[in-house]
């Protein structure tokens, strides 16, 4: 492809020769892809998202510090309407929580990635009774995980096997069900009305969900678990906590074996892991030991921490050291903005400088999407809006600098190792470059 106008030829280091001028067909594909990125897969006219939003819910919102709980207006398939605080899939209850699904990359992005790729795909092989069979495999047109914070959503509509999302920024996207948050494996939606009554809904009952801040004077009977989790190697993460990916509210119970009475989290100050079970320090100062259930042994599914300035961290039981419960600081409840496409300056190993729109791993193209990896022994999903810089280390890992100054080295995911499908850089004139992982030196994101 033709080199972008922003390419810096004064940088130190050798400069690879430019590619041949693009054909008119290639230019048209790139222009089409640029339009697609800007529109983020708008649904066809007449789709459910074309219906107007309820007038009282039209304005965008930034959750104030005293309104962290999810609130929504749920229209049922029978036409009934419920309004209230939401608990989504048993694991989400505040605006910072994450919704997980899967998505096929937009066709225009797939076409763009292919047009900037020199080969037809990676070669896959299998040995079958001593005979090796090999074939090229397209790395681009594969369903991938799609994650977004609830606080960035304005509306969600089930549409057959897909789900239509409308963001607060106005962009729209289609995703597919995956895990327990959407579709056939959905773990349920609880709607807590102003009267305190709770109704639990199955996926088949939901026609549409509109998200908004709770009306003035509303108060939920539930408070989200919050505190700081420390790992066995000394890492400490603060945010909203999901214990065993299930208990998320203070009035829920940490269970021990039958002869041990469970303890409500609101009575707990600290939980420390022992060789068998946990040692619990109560707010009263009393100490208790619990064991014998999946809440407090190796069957625990992991301790999830939702940090608004990072994203999600899941600490496996073997790496868990302690959990200190404490309220959220008022200034930590407000969600950071994530409003548009990724934009940045990329520098390659040979010193070449490229600037423009960024598509990471030939897939993630917006600030509210997530980069996945393993930090130590913690699985993390980092929101792109919170990343200032990504640098490829000499060992082939990714060193992240977050906007709050924290640094972390990630590995163990195609987002941050040699299986990355490439970083696309799209210049303003419609031209583009695809930089392979091994060619990347560093990338600095610029807020738009």
């Amino acid at each position: 492809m033709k080199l972008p106008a922003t390419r810096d030829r004064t940088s130190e280091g050798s400069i690879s020769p430019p590619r041949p001028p693009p054909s008119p067909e290639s230019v048209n594909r790139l222009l089409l892809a640029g339009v697609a990125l800007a529109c983020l897969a708008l649904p066809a006219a007449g789709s459910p998202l074309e219906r107007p939003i309820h007038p009282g819910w039209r304005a965008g919102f930034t959750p104030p510090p005293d309104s962290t709980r999810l609130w929504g207006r749920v229209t049922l398939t029978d036409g009934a309407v419920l309004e209230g605080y939401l608990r989504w899939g048993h694991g989400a209850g505040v605006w910072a929580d994450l919704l997980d699904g899967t998505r096929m990359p937009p066709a225009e992005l797939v076409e763009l990635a292919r047009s900037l790729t020199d080969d037809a795909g990676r070669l896959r092989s299998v040995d079958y009774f001593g005979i090796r069979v090999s074939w090229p495999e397209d790395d681009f047109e594969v369903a991938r995980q799609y994650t977004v914070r609830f606080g960035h959503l304005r509306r969600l509509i089930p549409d057959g096997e897909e789900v239509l999302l409308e963001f607060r920024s106005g962009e729209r996207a289609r995703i597919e069900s995956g895990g327990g948050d959407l579709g056939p494996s959905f773990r349920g939606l609880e709607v807590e009305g102003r009267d305190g009554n709770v109704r639990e809904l199955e996926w088949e009952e939901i026609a549409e969900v509109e998200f908004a801040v709770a009306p003035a004077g509303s108060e939920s009977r539930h408070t989200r678990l919050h505190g700081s989790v420390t790992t066995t190697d000394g890492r400490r993460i603060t945010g909203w906590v999901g214990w065993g990916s299930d208990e998320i509210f203070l009035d829920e119970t940490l269970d021990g074996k039958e002869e041990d009475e469970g303890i409500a989290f609101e009575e707990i100050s600290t939980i420390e892991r022992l060789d068998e079970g946990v040692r619990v320090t109560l707010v009263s100062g009393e100490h208790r030991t619990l064991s014998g259930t999946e809440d407090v042994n190796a069957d625990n599914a992991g301790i999830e921490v939702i940090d608004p300035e990072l994203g999600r961290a899941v600490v496996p039981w073997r790496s868990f050291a302690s959990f200190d419960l404490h309220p959220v600081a008022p200034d930590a409840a407000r969600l950071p903005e994530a409003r548009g496409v990724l934009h940045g300056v990329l520098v390659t190993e040979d010193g070449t400088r490229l600037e423009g729109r960024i598509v990471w791993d030939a897939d993630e193209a917006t600030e509210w999407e997530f980069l996945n990896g393993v930090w130590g022994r913690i699985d993390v999903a980092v929101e792109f809006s919170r990343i200032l810089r990504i640098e490829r280390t000499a060992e082939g890992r990714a060193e992240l600098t977050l906007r709050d100054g924290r640094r972390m080295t990630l590995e163990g995911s195609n987002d941050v190792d040699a299986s990355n499908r490439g970083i696309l850089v799209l210049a303003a004139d419609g031209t583009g470059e695809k930089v392979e992982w091994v060619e990347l030196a560093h990338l600095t994101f610029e807020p738009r």
Side-chain angles (χ1 to χ4, degrees):
M1 299 300 297
K2 185 179 69 167
L3 299 178
T6 53
R7 189 160 184 153
D8 183 0
R9 295 180 173 274
T10 65
S11 303
E12 294 182 3
S14 59
I15 302 298
S16 56
R19 300 179 182 177
S23 66
E25 292 79 12
S26 297
V27 172
N28 287 338
R29 284 198 298 267
L30 284 172
L31 291 174
L32 178 61
V35 172
L37 281 175
C39 296
L40 283 178
L42 293 176
S47 74
L49 280 180
E50 295 302 317
R51 297 197 298 269
I53 293 179
H54 187 280
W57 299 65
R58 181 171 299 281
F61 65 93
T62 298
D66 58 349
S67 182
T68 59
R69 284 294 318 280
L70 271 176
W71 175 279
R73 181 176 189 265
V74 184
T75 301
L76 307 186
T77 51
D78 64 5
V81 176
L82 304 175
E83 294 186 28
Y85 291 102
L86 307 180
R87 177 177 182 159
W88 194 281
H90 294 290
V94 295
W95 297 112
D97 280 324
L98 276 56
L99 175 76
D100 291 311
T102 59
R103 180 186 67 166
M104 293 295 294
E108 293 82 0
L109 267 186
V110 172
E111 181 67 14
L112 172 61
R114 286 174 176 159
S115 71
L116 297 175
T117 301
D118 295 329
D119 54 40
R122 305 185 186 191
L123 195 64
R124 303 296 192 223
S125 300
V126 62
D127 290 322
Y128 187 72
F129 291 104
I131 301 174
R132 169 158 289 195
V133 179
S134 301
W135 68 96
E137 185 174 285
D138 191 333
D139 280 335
F140 303 120
E141 201 165 0
V142 178
R144 305 170 192 173
Q145 181 174 343
Y146 187 87
T147 301
V148 64
R149 291 189 197 271
F150 280 93
H152 298 319
L153 297 178
R154 183 163 63 177
R155 183 158 55 174
L156 178 152
I157 302 174
D159 186 27
E161 297 182 357
E162 296 183 320
V163 178
L164 308 180
L165 302 179
E166 182 170 34
F167 299 89
R168 289 170 45 200
S169 60
E171 283 85 359
R172 298 161 177 178
R174 287 179 177 268
I175 65 173
E176 299 175 6
S177 62
D181 281 351
L182 303 165
S185 301
F186 186 57
R187 292 186 296 173
L189 170 62
E190 294 180 5
V191 183
E192 176 192 347
R194 294 195 193 190
D195 57 4
N197 291 326
V198 176
R199 177 169 174 182
E200 184 165 355
L201 303 173
E202 300 295 331
W203 185 250
E204 296 76 14
E205 299 179 85
I206 302 171
E208 181 175 337
V209 181
E210 297 178 39
F211 299 98
V213 170
S218 300
E219 184 175 351
S220 173
R221 65 180 184 179
H222 298 296
T223 300
R224 186 75 160 84
L225 266 178
H226 186 276
S228 299
V229 174
T230 302
T231 65
T232 52
D233 59 1
R235 302 171 197 266
R236 186 174 174 89
I237 311 165
T238 298
W240 283 277
V241 172
W243 188 269
S245 300
D246 193 21
E247 287 89 7
I248 66 170
F249 292 129
L250 280 173
D251 58 351
E252 294 181 315
T253 302
L254 180 71
D255 293 318
K257 56 190 176 184
E258 290 184 5
E259 57 267 33
D260 292 327
E261 184 179 351
I263 307 171
F265 282 97
E266 60 192 353
E267 300 177 20
I268 297 174
S269 174
T270 302
I271 302 171
E272 300 169 271
R273 182 169 67 86
L274 304 175
D275 290 338
E276 293 186 7
V278 298
R279 180 175 187 262
V280 178
T281 301
L282 303 183
V283 175
S284 65
E286 178 187 353
H287 298 289
R288 288 182 55 185
T289 299
L290 296 180
S291 62
T293 72
E294 64 180 19
D295 266 359
V296 292
N297 64 23
D299 292 328
N300 186 297
I303 295 86
E304 179 181 270
V305 187
I306 302 297
D307 178 351
E309 290 295 337
L310 186 153
R312 173 170 58 201
V314 180
V315 179
W317 184 254
R318 68 182 183 277
S319 300
F320 169 71
S322 64
F323 172 31
D324 298 312
L325 286 77
H326 56 80
V328 59
D331 60 352
R334 194 178 300 274
L335 283 183
E337 289 291 335
R339 295 179 290 181
V341 298
L342 294 174
H343 188 275
V345 176
L346 184 150
V347 177
T348 66
E349 281 287 296
D350 66 7
T352 302
R353 180 181 184 275
L354 303 170
E355 180 177 1
R357 287 186 178 180
I358 303 297
V359 183
W360 187 266
D361 192 29
D363 181 37
E364 290 92 2
T366 58
E367 292 181 335
W368 51 77
E369 294 181 82
F370 284 79
L371 180 145
N372 297 285
V374 179
W375 178 40
R377 287 181 290 180
I378 306 171
D379 290 326
V380 297
V382 186
E383 188 174 89
F384 274 97
S385 72
R386 311 321 308 146
I387 302 174
L388 176 63
R389 180 183 171 97
I390 302 174
E391 182 174 356
R392 187 176 63 85
T393 69
E395 298 77 20
R397 303 184 181 97
E399 184 171 294
L400 272 59
T401 302
L402 303 187
R403 295 195 179 276
D404 64 6
R406 283 181 289 179
R407 297 173 68 91
M408 56 180 58
T409 300
L410 304 186
E411 58 185 331
S413 159
N414 57 273
D415 272 346
V416 291
D417 63 22
S419 57
N420 185 294
R421 301 170 183 87
I423 301 99
L424 312 184
V425 185
L426 309 180
D429 62 1
T431 58
E433 288 281 343
K434 179 170 176 281
V435 178
E436 300 295 343
W437 176 252
V438 295
E439 299 174 316
L440 172 69
H442 54 81
L443 168 63
T444 301
F445 290 103
E446 298 178 344
R448 300 292 287 170

